[in-house]
Amino acid sequence: MRARLSDIARQAEVSEATVSRVLNDRPGVSTETRQAVLTALDVLGYERPERLRKRSAGLVGLIVPELENPIFPAFAQTIESALSQSGFTPVLCTQTPGGVTEDEYVEMLLDRQVSGIVFVSGLHADTSADHERYQRLLSRPLPIVLINGYSANLNAPFISCDDRLAGEMAVSHLVALGHTRIGFVSGPDRFVNVQRKLDGYRAAMRRELGVGDRELEELIALTLFGVEGGEVAANQLLSRGVTGMVCGSDLMALGAIRAARRRDLSVPRDVSVVGFDDSPLIAFTDPPLTTLRQPVAAMGNAAIRQLVDEINGQGAPRSEYVYAPELVVRGSTAIHKAGRGAESMNVTAA
């Protein structure tokens, strides 16, 4: 037991005395520390003492693409909290370029006998990826929930933000401000969320401005996700005379703002920019970013409700739950200098 205590203490980054208090269910240990020790116990593969088993139904994996985009830590925080409240121990798996892949994380989690897995913007969102990997999990059977990325071929619960509506709302906002030359900036169109935002963007541009297909294609720039990708795509569109840009993420919107400033253009006086996500701290950028807010808390909690139902054998509905985004108007959008009728617009600023 001495060696085990040492291993657990090292994994949890606490003292052996603290591990002993937790294992013997003694008072004087904070909830956070107790959870850290129990997580270490599960991760190392040690069996919990009988007195502690009722406090946790087991491990649940949470796989996210990366943590550089602040929307993913926001999802992770909500989901981990909901799992802990439901009696499960969350295990966060974060991917990095050249690091552990999603499939490798899944194998590690299966070795730990997890009760289920939550995937956030994983390979299920990539239409070019083989989705058979998820079918194999469902066939085990292992409960899974997939967030932001839908595949009609998978009989599983999906939780999504309404990306099509987001594309439409962003265009409508810029049109109301008098913009007619509105571009679209996003990542590769093999991803479901990009395809849906594009559908909404195109539909709104046709409906509200009568823009034809040929002109639409000139107003769309797809590159890599992230600030750098946003800057590259925005440069292409600024060369084509856009005065407003709809961006696939807040980070890409920040790249678009940087591209405008490097051309000595002012945001929002010369160019208006709309992001997507409403990531933490986005309200404090310069200028504060107008964006479409993902309802992260509602989506994360819904995902865990579905997963827990699956784990408990209650059978969550195999369908897609779609949550509406919210337009948050801040300082990166303004009335176009040659705008028409924007003065009568009724919006609420955040």
Side-chain angles (χ1 to χ4, degrees):
M1 174 60 71
R2 189 71 182 174
R4 291 180 63 185
L5 284 179
S6 175
D7 292 342
I8 298 166
R10 188 181 304 109
Q11 178 72 26
E13 299 183 346
V14 298
S15 68
E16 293 183 28
T18 298
V19 173
S20 178
R21 283 198 293 273
V22 172
L23 296 182
N24 289 289
D25 202 20
R26 293 173 182 166
V29 181
S30 69
T31 302
E32 293 78 9
T33 300
R34 183 179 297 275
Q35 189 61 52
V37 171
L38 294 178
T39 299
L41 200 69
D42 293 334
V43 168
L44 292 172
Y46 292 136
E47 186 175 346
R48 293 188 179 197
E50 181 66 31
R51 67 176 70 86
L52 299 178
R53 290 177 191 173
K54 294 182 180 180
R55 295 196 176 187
S56 175
L59 294 172
V60 168
L62 169 58
I63 302 180
V64 298
E66 39 93 4
L67 295 180
E68 291 185 1
N69 185 336
I71 196 63
F72 295 128
F75 268 114
Q77 182 177 20
T78 295
I79 291 169
E80 288 183 332
S81 175
L83 282 171
S84 296
Q85 291 174 16
S86 298
F88 292 88
T89 301
V91 179
L92 177 62
C93 302
T94 306
Q95 300 175 69
T96 56
V100 180
T101 66
E102 180 178 306
D103 289 338
E104 289 170 336
Y105 271 131
V106 168
E107 289 303 316
M108 292 167 58
L109 292 171
L110 292 177
D111 287 343
R112 298 298 182 188
Q113 298 183 327
V114 294
S115 300
I117 303 177
V118 180
F119 296 87
V120 180
S121 299
L123 291 172
H124 63 283
D126 188 341
T127 58
S128 69
D130 182 5
H131 291 170
E132 180 62 25
R133 52 175 48 88
Y134 302 108
Q135 190 57 56
R136 289 193 292 269
L137 293 176
L138 293 168
S139 300
R140 288 181 71 93
L142 180 75
I144 64 172
V145 175
L146 304 124
I147 297 177
N148 278 343
Y150 176 71
S151 173
N153 297 322
L154 291 175
N155 189 25
F158 291 86
I159 306 292
S160 302
C161 184
D162 194 336
D163 292 294
R164 191 181 196 281
L165 178 59
E168 292 187 3
M169 292 173 69
V171 170
S172 296
H173 172 60
L174 292 173
V175 169
L177 291 170
H179 295 271
T180 58
R181 192 77 175 158
I182 301 169
F184 181 87
V185 171
S186 193
D189 63 358
R190 70 177 187 270
F191 294 102
V192 173
N193 61 329
V194 176
Q195 294 174 1
R196 289 177 168 181
K197 287 189 183 77
L198 262 174
D199 287 344
Y201 164 81
R202 288 189 175 111
M205 291 289 284
R206 294 186 184 110
R207 181 181 64 247
E208 302 196 28
L209 296 174
V211 179
D213 290 345
R214 178 175 297 180
E215 184 181 358
L216 271 177
E217 294 313 306
E218 295 177 354
L219 296 173
I220 295 170
L222 304 181
T223 59
L224 299 176
F225 288 113
V227 175
E228 292 76 13
E231 182 176 3
V232 169
N235 267 319
Q236 297 174 18
L237 296 181
L238 290 171
S239 298
R240 300 168 192 168
V242 302
T243 65
M245 283 184 275
V246 175
C247 300
S249 72
D250 290 339
L251 293 186
M252 297 198 82
L254 295 181
I257 292 172
R258 186 163 71 182
R261 286 178 171 165
R262 287 183 174 176
R263 289 169 173 256
D264 293 325
L265 298 173
S266 171
V267 178
R269 187 183 68 242
D270 301 313
V271 182
S272 287
V273 177
V274 180
F276 176 81
D277 282 334
D278 197 29
S279 315
L281 303 180
I282 280 299
F284 305 101
T285 58
D286 180 23
L289 188 66
T290 294
T291 188
L292 276 300
R293 176 183 293 159
Q294 281 204 74
V296 171
M299 293 171 65
N301 285 316
I304 298 312
R305 285 197 300 271
Q306 300 302 310
L307 188 74
V308 171
D309 284 348
E310 284 281 303
I311 292 171
N312 292 335
Q314 297 173 4
R318 302 319 204 264
S319 57
E320 184 181 24
Y321 298 81
V322 181
Y323 288 76
E326 176 188 356
L327 176 65
V328 182
V329 180
R330 298 192 181 103
S332 66
T333 54
I335 296 172
H336 180 40
K337 289 179 291 187
R340 46 183 176 76
E343 293 83 355
S344 62
M345 178 186 58
N346 181 20
V347 298
T348 301

